[in-house]
Amino acid sequence: MAVNTAVSSFRLRELFPIGKGGMGTTYLACTSATGQFERLVVVKRLHEHLLHDEEAKQRFLDEADLAGCVHHANVVGVQHVGIDDRGLFLGLEFVDGTSLRKLI
């Protein structure tokens, strides 16, 4: 028997921007739950000028669906897809290290 449970103690606090691409900006963020458990994550948000573009929102969600199907050590995993007062966002695994851009 499946049981649905709502989690309401989840908090997301964006710390600072870490990257920018064609569709969105990524931020280093901290999640916390129950006031004790904290974890660094990356939050990707649509650029402000795309927030009301239905096609851009659908591409953003398609990216989340596709990335959610890929499980590989060299691919950052999607942990969460959500919406808040600033719009759609993806919660991504934080991998500490040098960016691909710097390596290239």
Side-chain angles (χ1 to χ4, degrees):
M1 174 184 208
V3 177
N4 292 327
T5 304
V7 177
S8 61
S9 62
F10 177 81
R11 301 266 189 255
L12 179 65
R13 181 172 40 101
E14 290 176 12
L15 304 173
F16 53 84
I18 57 175
K20 200 176 264 196
M23 286 187 61
T25 301
T26 55
Y27 300 87
L28 183 63
C30 181
T31 61
S32 62
T34 68
Q36 296 176 6
F37 178 80
E38 290 189 341
R39 183 176 188 182
L40 288 176
V41 296
V42 172
V43 172
K44 181 175 182 179
R45 291 188 177 276
L46 277 175
H47 290 308
E48 234 179 88
H49 69 276
L50 297 174
L51 289 176
H52 301 291
D53 182 331
E54 293 303 318
E55 188 176 312
K57 286 196 250 184
Q58 188 58 55
R59 285 195 316 267
F60 195 73
L61 292 172
D62 289 345
E63 175 186 333
D65 285 341
L66 181 60
C69 293
V70 178
H71 302 284
H72 190 279
N74 296 330
V75 177
V76 172
V78 175
Q79 306 288 318
H80 186 80
V81 177
I83 188 165
D84 62 11
D85 59 338
R86 293 180 52 207
L88 282 172
F89 68 90
L90 303 181
L92 307 168
E93 177 183 6
F94 171 66
V95 178
D96 192 13
T98 303
S99 71
L100 180 60
R101 178 174 284 156
K102 287 182 182 177
L103 286 174
I104 292 174

